[in-house]
């Protein structure tokens, strides 16, 4: 009979996975509609790196397999806060849980969450084995894939084990706490409220909005710079799609995060003596700041010198404003607007360098 702690951890992981799938539903529809063919190609290629590495000499293949296995554990690293919320970690700290049971729970949860990856490996490996390319060594490819998967499970277990040990306040947390307790603020009152009610919560604790938007912004800037430098052709088209999608998703995710935060704050702010409408408009307008930075980069890269560039920049300014300005959004309508904006921007962008 399984230990109660192990059963609790498994149920918690299943709940976290179901909650993540539900929260990712709208974004998943956008990704599937826009990048559907690319995702199918990546799904078929997922087992190729370890199978190709197995054809190399032993001293070269082992580091590559280790690196691949560690890289494939990145999704669980991003999901660790959902799988083990901070409140649960703090509640488990004083419990007399044997180390052996704790390690077994971490390993089982890592194996459950890695199940879809194992299925993807099986399908991808079957595709490559049926194709039989010249570089494939069948007697070494499958063991190498299994080894990479075991490394992923081991890294995932280590991530969960470190997470379960509990949070430790670092310099950044102490700095944010000091700032929240009363450092003087010099600037407009509306900016002060936006900073305390939106900016800081997006970076504190287990909230990943700040990191998510930063990653999206860096990815959008990298793809935009590469797009402006790439020659016309297939690579230029892929970078055009990536830059356009990154721009719209940056606006969509930022506006969605602000709307969710407003839903939390409205009951609290109802009793405050402030202009709530002005604060809401300010917060939603500030969510477009990363988009404005990206558009300024594209403008400086010379898109405005082309007729198609004028249209692209106009649409790239109009679409994010529509996402933010429309008061209420049906989820399906929002997905439709996001997908239509990406498709139209990609189509216009393909004409800029031709």
């Amino acid at each position: 009979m399984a230990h109660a702690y192990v059963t609790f951890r498994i149920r918690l992981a299943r709940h976290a996975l179901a909650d993540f799938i539900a929260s990712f539903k709208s974004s998943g529809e956008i990704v599937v509609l826009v990048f559907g063919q690319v995702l199918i190609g990546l799904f078929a290629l997922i087992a190729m790196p370890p199978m190709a590495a197995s054809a190399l000499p032993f001293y070269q293949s082992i580091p590559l397999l280790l690196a691949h296995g560690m890289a494939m554990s990145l999704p669980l690293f991003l999901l660790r806060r959902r799988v083990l919320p901070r409140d649960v970690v703090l509640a488990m700290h004083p419990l007399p849980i044997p180390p052996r049971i704790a390690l077994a729970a971490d390993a089982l949860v890592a194996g459950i969450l890695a199940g879809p990856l194992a299925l993807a490996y099986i399908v991808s490996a079957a595709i490559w084995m049926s194709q039989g390319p010249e570089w494939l060594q069948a007697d070494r490819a499958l063991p190498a894939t299994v080894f990479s998967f075991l490394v992923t499970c081991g890294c995932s277990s280590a991530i969960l084990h470190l997470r379960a040990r509990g949070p430790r306040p670092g310099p950044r947390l102490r700095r944010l706490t000091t700032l929240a307790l009363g450092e003087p603020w010099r600037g407009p009152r509306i900016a002060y409220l936006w900073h305390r009610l939106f900016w800081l919560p997006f970076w504190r604790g287990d909230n990943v909005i700040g990191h998510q938007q930063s990653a999206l912004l860096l990815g959008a800037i990298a793809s935009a710079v590469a797009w402006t430098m790439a020659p016309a052709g297939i690579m230029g088209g892929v970078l055009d799609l990536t830059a356009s999608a990154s721009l719209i998703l940056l606006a969509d995710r930022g506006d969605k995060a602000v709307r969710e935060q407003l839903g939390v704050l409205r009951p609290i702010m109802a009793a405050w003596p402030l202009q709530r409408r002005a604060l809401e408009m300010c917060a939603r307008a500030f969510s477009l700041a990363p988009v404005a930075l990206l558009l300024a980069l594209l403008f400086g890269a010379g898109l405005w010198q082309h007729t198609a560039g004028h249209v692209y920049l106009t649409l790239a300014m109009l679409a994010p404003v529509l996402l933010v300005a429309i008061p209420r959004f049906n989820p399906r309508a929002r997905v439709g607007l996001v997908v239509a904006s990406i498709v139209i921007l990609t189509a216009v962008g393909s004409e800029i360098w031709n």
Side-chain angles (χ1 to χ4, degrees):
M1 185 174 180
H3 193 277
Y5 176 71
V6 176
T7 304
F8 168 73
R9 287 289 304 278
I10 292 175
R11 290 181 178 178
L12 185 65
R14 289 175 177 171
H15 174 76
L17 193 59
D19 183 63
F20 171 74
I21 294 173
S23 66
F24 193 71
K25 184 178 180 181
S26 61
S27 300
E29 290 178 350
I30 295 170
V31 172
V32 170
L33 289 173
V34 177
F35 299 103
Q37 294 181 348
V38 177
L39 291 176
I40 293 174
L42 291 176
F43 185 81
L45 292 173
I46 193 169
M48 178 185 172
M51 297 179 79
S54 66
L56 299 174
F58 185 77
Y59 67 91
Q60 293 180 353
S61 63
I62 292 299
L64 291 176
L65 292 174
L66 290 173
H68 182 264
M70 294 172 64
M72 296 307 292
S73 66
L74 180 61
L76 192 136
F77 175 78
L78 299 176
L79 287 173
R80 70 193 188 283
R81 291 168 176 168
R82 289 179 178 268
V83 176
L84 269 178
R86 182 187 179 93
D87 294 342
V88 174
V89 172
L90 294 176
M92 292 190 307
H93 237 326
L95 298 179
I97 302 172
R100 179 177 58 84
I101 298 297
L103 289 174
D106 294 332
L108 284 174
V109 171
I112 291 173
L113 297 178
L117 178 63
L119 179 62
Y121 276 153
I122 292 172
V123 175
S124 179
I127 292 174
W128 286 106
M129 294 295 288
S130 63
Q131 294 293 326
E134 295 181 359
W135 51 265
L136 181 65
Q137 296 185 11
D139 58 333
R140 298 176 60 181
L142 293 180
T145 306
V146 173
F147 176 76
S148 177
F149 177 74
L150 293 177
V151 171
T152 300
C153 291
C155 291
S156 300
S157 300
I159 290 170
L160 293 176
H161 183 69
L162 293 175
R163 174 71 176 174
R165 291 177 61 185
R168 288 174 171 77
R172 181 176 175 272
L173 180 59
R174 289 195 293 270
R175 180 175 61 83
L176 290 178
T177 305
T178 303
L179 182 63
L181 289 177
E183 286 188 1
W185 176 273
R186 297 178 179 85
R189 184 167 179 264
I190 197 74
Y192 168 84
L193 292 172
W194 170 81
H195 177 261
R196 297 301 173 94
L197 299 177
F198 294 94
W199 175 262
L200 290 181
F202 287 161
W203 290 95
R204 282 176 170 169
D206 287 341
N207 199 327
V208 298
I209 299 299
H211 300 286
Q212 168 192 288
Q213 290 300 101
S214 298
L216 273 175
L217 178 60
L218 291 176
I221 290 175
S223 58
V225 171
W227 175 40
T228 57
M229 300 173 62
I234 296 178
M235 183 55 66
V238 172
L239 292 172
D240 171 26
L241 173 61
T242 305
S244 302
S246 300
L247 186 146
I248 299 300
L249 291 177
L250 186 64
D252 176 64
R253 297 298 90 187
D255 179 60
K256 185 178 179 181
V258 170
R259 291 182 188 237
E260 291 177 352
Q261 181 70 359
L262 284 172
V264 174
L265 293 174
R266 280 194 184 102
I268 304 172
M269 293 191 301
W272 292 358
L274 53 82
Q275 296 180 352
R276 193 181 66 184
R277 183 67 176 174
L279 176 61
E280 292 181 4
M281 294 302 296
C282 175
R284 291 166 70 177
F286 280 173
S287 68
L288 292 177
V291 178
L293 176 62
L294 183 61
L295 289 175
L297 176 66
L298 292 174
F299 184 87
L303 262 66
W304 57 273
Q305 298 177 0
H306 308 271
T307 302
H310 296 163
V311 179
Y312 185 93
L313 291 174
T314 302
L315 293 174
M317 289 185 290
L318 180 61
V321 170
L322 283 177
L323 284 172
V324 173
I326 297 178
R328 294 181 181 179
F329 245 128
N330 179 280
R332 291 288 179 181
R334 188 180 187 95
V335 171
L337 178 58
V338 169
V339 173
S341 300
I342 293 174
V343 171
I344 294 173
L345 282 177
T346 304
V348 175
S350 65
E351 300 296 325
I352 293 177
W353 309 118
N354 291 339

